[in-house]
Amino acid sequence: MSLLPTDSAARKDTPIYSGVLKYFPRTAAYVARISVLGNDKHNPGEELHWAEGKSMDHSDCIARHLIEQGTFDPDDGALHEGKLAWRAWANCETMLKAREAAGLPLWDEEVIAKNKKILAEKLAAKAGVEIKEETPKVSLHK
């Protein structure tokens, strides 16, 4: 399974650079360094990689980093906000992998479609354009 959509229009709705890295360049760099510090702690001397099974208590760690925000972690000198971000990404990645493995959807497409329709209506109203509902075509042939 591809990590990115194979459909051209869907790929446009997945702007990794302009929707993540361009929004949060400092955080992306900070979290990358957190990965190195974590690798040094959990996998000393090994090539940079996420040893997923070594620390799975993401929710508890997120809560701890929230409580300690604004301070440096004495273990490695990193801000707790950076470790919070890393843990949030790890938690999300773990959940997405589990849903994929179970064949569960990653999005509620009905809600997305409904919200796109509402947005289109708002934009049309703002532009003074009337949107006509398409009448479903009925066929007498089966």
Side-chain angles (χ1 to χ4, degrees):
M1 177 179 186
S2 174
L3 289 176
L4 298 175
T6 55
D7 174 75
S8 175
R11 279 196 308 272
K12 295 281 186 195
D13 284 342
T14 310
I16 296 169
Y17 169 69
S18 61
V20 178
L21 296 177
K22 198 170 176 184
Y23 276 28
F24 309 111
R26 290 166 194 82
T27 302
Y30 206 89
V31 169
R33 188 154 182 213
I34 296 290
S35 292
V36 171
L37 294 172
N39 195 71
D40 290 347
K41 177 180 179 178
H42 295 290
N43 314 300
E46 295 180 23
E47 184 175 327
L48 181 62
H49 70 286
W50 177 20
E52 296 180 49
K54 288 191 176 178
S55 182
M56 299 291 293
D57 58 339
H58 302 306
S59 297
D60 285 332
C61 290
I62 286 169
R64 181 173 59 81
H65 293 307
L66 275 170
I67 290 168
E68 297 185 49
Q69 62 186 319
T71 64
F72 294 108
D73 189 322
D75 287 348
D76 55 22
L79 285 168
H80 284 283
E81 287 81 355
K83 292 182 144 193
L84 166 66
W86 191 97
R87 284 292 184 162
W89 279 54
N91 190 58
C92 188
E93 182 73 16
T94 301
M95 183 273 308
L96 291 171
K97 283 181 178 181
R99 291 186 70 86
E100 285 175 348
L104 298 171
L106 303 182
W107 302 96
D108 187 333
E109 296 296 344
E110 288 180 22
V111 171
I112 292 170
K114 181 184 86 172
N115 288 338
K116 282 187 176 186
K117 181 180 177 193
I118 291 168
L119 176 61
E121 290 169 352
K122 286 180 180 178
L123 292 172
K126 188 176 181 179
V129 177
E130 184 179 333
I131 295 181
K132 294 185 180 181
E133 292 286 329
E134 277 192 33
T135 306
K137 294 181 178 141
V138 178
S139 173
L140 300 176
H141 305 284
K142 290 192 177 192

